[in-house]
Amino acid sequence: MAMNPGGEQLSSDEIPMIYIYDMLLFFWLALLILWFGNFLMFRRFSNALHKMLTLAPILKLLLVALILSRWRSISEHGLEYTSVENVCHLFRSIEDAFIFTLMLLIARGWGLLHSKMDNLRWASFAFFFVIFAVSLMCVDWVHSYFLAFSICCVVFLTYRTLKCCSVNIEYLQRRRRKFRHFINRCNLQYSSSVTVDDQLCHKIEIFSKFRVICAAFSLSFSLIVTLAMFLSEYAYVQALTYELPKIFTYVGIGIMFRLRNFAPFQHIRLAPPKENVVVFMVPEVSQKFVRPEVILGVPEQDNEVELACYLKRQKKR
């Protein structure tokens, strides 16, 4: 068996793979430590979406560790086990399908606009996840023709993600206009530094940036998966072109959805212009994700003690 100097079993284009995945393992481990550190600092603001986002870097760390162990085994023994390669491909397909499904879930507003979804909606997300993961597995295990179906899945999921982001941005803008009109019509003033308008603008900004990240990642993923068939002779180039866009995507999503001190958003106070008007407000951002509720009380008639309270509620989804 021919070997490189030093008893190295890998070819010249495969030797950098160990160094690349060593650095990737260190990077994802450091990123996961920072994510858990952020969680410990602000865990009272964590919700189900934040906990599900934690699964993404964990899956990525496991995948990188598996790929690194595979290359180390080939380097030391010169044998490539089909079972190890299949496990790596299985984890890669699951990780790719999970990140696309998670982006669609975020774009639907789960954890940002509402905290619950019906079982049919959850079943549709599970269906998209399974179909996309199976199509990626079939590219290597059945035939490369399944690549076309995988690209179609990417296009469909990207279209749905971008459309949901646009719909939610439009919804938040309408809500912002309606609430500003309500504040002006009732001649109300904020006595807190953070306003409802700030809340809605912050969410609009999140959806706008998230839409850009999803579009860029989906385009790069489609190009990379297609080009991977022509880069098989250059293993380290193929690995870098596959990993770098994911690093930027995960870091961008992590920065956007990291936990912070959201306490100012939970205590918004309105100062009514008259003494006989009572206004209570439940903030939009809360641990239970209650939609904005405004209670405005005014006397039914002059010199009458009782107040007629008008309550505007949004049912929890």
Side-chain angles (χ1 to χ4, degrees), residues 115-131:
S115 59
K116 294 182 179 180
M117 288 193 299
D118 54 43
N119 294 331
L120 182 61
R121 187 63 54 80
W122 280 114
S124 66
F125 283 113
F127 175 78
F128 294 147
F129 170 78
V130 172
I131 291 297

Side-chain angles (χ1 to χ4, degrees), residues 67 88-89 101 201 243 292:
I67 296 175
C88 291
H89 184 63
T101 307
C201 284
E243 296 293 344

Side-chain angles (χ1 to χ4, degrees), residues 10-23:
L10 296 175
S11 60
S12 58
D13 68 302
E14 293 175 341
I15 292 176
M17 296 294 288
I18 294 180
Y19 302 106
I20 290 173
Y21 280 98
D22 273 333
M23 291 186 293

Side-chain angles (χ1 to χ4, degrees), residues 33-305:
I33 291 174
L34 290 175
W35 184 263
F36 278 115
N38 175 257
F39 170 77
L40 292 176
M41 290 177 62
F42 304 104
R43 59 182 176 273
R44 72 187 185 97
F45 299 110
S46 178
N47 60 9
L49 173 61
H50 182 265
K51 294 178 176 63
M52 184 169 288
L53 283 170
T54 307
L55 294 176
I58 292 176
L59 280 175
K60 191 63 183 177
L61 183 64
L62 291 175
L63 175 60
V64 170
L66 281 171
I67 296 175
L68 178 60
S69 64
R70 171 177 174 265
W71 285 113
R72 284 190 180 278
S73 175
I74 298 173
S75 174
E76 294 175 1
H77 308 292
L79 298 176
E80 187 170 356
Y81 298 99
T82 306
S83 58
V84 177
E85 185 179 1
N86 289 336
V87 171
C88 291
H89 184 63
L90 174 65
F91 266 83
R92 181 182 286 111
S93 302
I94 292 174
E95 189 256 339
D96 289 338
F98 179 77
I99 186 62
F100 274 97
T101 307
L102 183 60
M103 287 194 299
L104 179 58
L105 188 63
I106 295 173
R108 289 290 304 177
W110 181 68
L112 291 172
L113 299 180
H114 50 83
S115 59
K116 294 182 179 180
M117 288 193 299
D118 54 43
N119 294 331
L120 182 61
R121 187 63 54 80
W122 280 114
S124 66
F125 283 113
F127 175 78
F128 294 147
F129 170 78
V130 172
I131 291 297
F132 189 27
V134 170
S135 69
L136 291 172
M137 296 175 194
C138 291
V139 172
D140 278 358
W141 293 347
V142 181
H143 201 282
S144 58
Y145 287 161
F146 278 92
L147 177 63
F149 184 75
S150 299
I151 298 300
C152 291
C153 291
V154 171
V155 171
F156 174 77
L157 291 173
T158 303
Y159 167 75
R160 292 296 303 170
T161 299
L162 299 182
K163 183 178 180 180
C164 289
C165 285
S166 300
V167 169
N168 286 329
I169 290 173
E170 184 180 354
Y171 164 76
L172 290 170
Q173 289 173 342
R174 288 200 311 268
R175 195 174 184 86
R176 182 186 177 197
R177 289 193 297 266
K178 289 178 64 175
F179 204 86
R180 291 176 67 178
H181 175 70
F182 170 79
I183 294 294
N184 294 331
R185 181 168 57 87
C186 297
N187 195 22
L188 302 175
Q189 300 292 330
Y190 289 100
S191 59
S192 57
S193 58
V194 179
T195 66
V196 174
D197 195 67
D198 294 333
Q199 290 181 334
L200 297 176
C201 284
H202 186 65
K203 290 192 175 184
I204 290 173
E205 183 181 1
I206 288 176
F207 278 112
S208 299
K209 292 180 178 179
F210 183 71
R211 181 172 57 180
V212 173
I213 290 177
C214 292
F217 175 68
S218 300
L219 178 61
S220 62
F221 182 85
S222 300
L223 291 175
I224 289 167
V225 170
T226 304
L227 292 175
M229 301 179 63
F230 305 98
L231 297 174
S232 57
E233 296 182 1
Y234 305 95
Y236 67 95
V237 177
Q238 186 182 32
L240 287 175
T241 55
Y242 183 79
E243 296 293 344
L244 287 178
K246 284 198 172 183
I247 289 176
F248 291 121
T249 301
Y250 277 68
V251 170
I253 293 176
I255 291 174
M256 278 197 308
F257 292 98
R258 74 189 188 278
L259 296 178
R260 282 152 283 180
N261 182 18
F262 295 116
F265 289 95
Q266 294 181 341
H267 302 283
I268 296 179
R269 296 183 297 274
L270 291 171
K274 298 184 295 182
E275 294 183 357
N276 61 344
V277 175
V278 181
V279 177
F280 300 94
M281 180 171 173
V282 179
E284 182 172 7
V285 180
S286 65
Q287 293 181 355
K288 295 184 178 180
F289 298 96
V290 180
R291 296 289 185 83
E293 299 177 359
V294 177
I295 303 175
L296 178 63
V298 295
E300 289 183 349
Q301 297 177 358
D302 294 336
N303 301 324
E304 187 172 345
V305 180

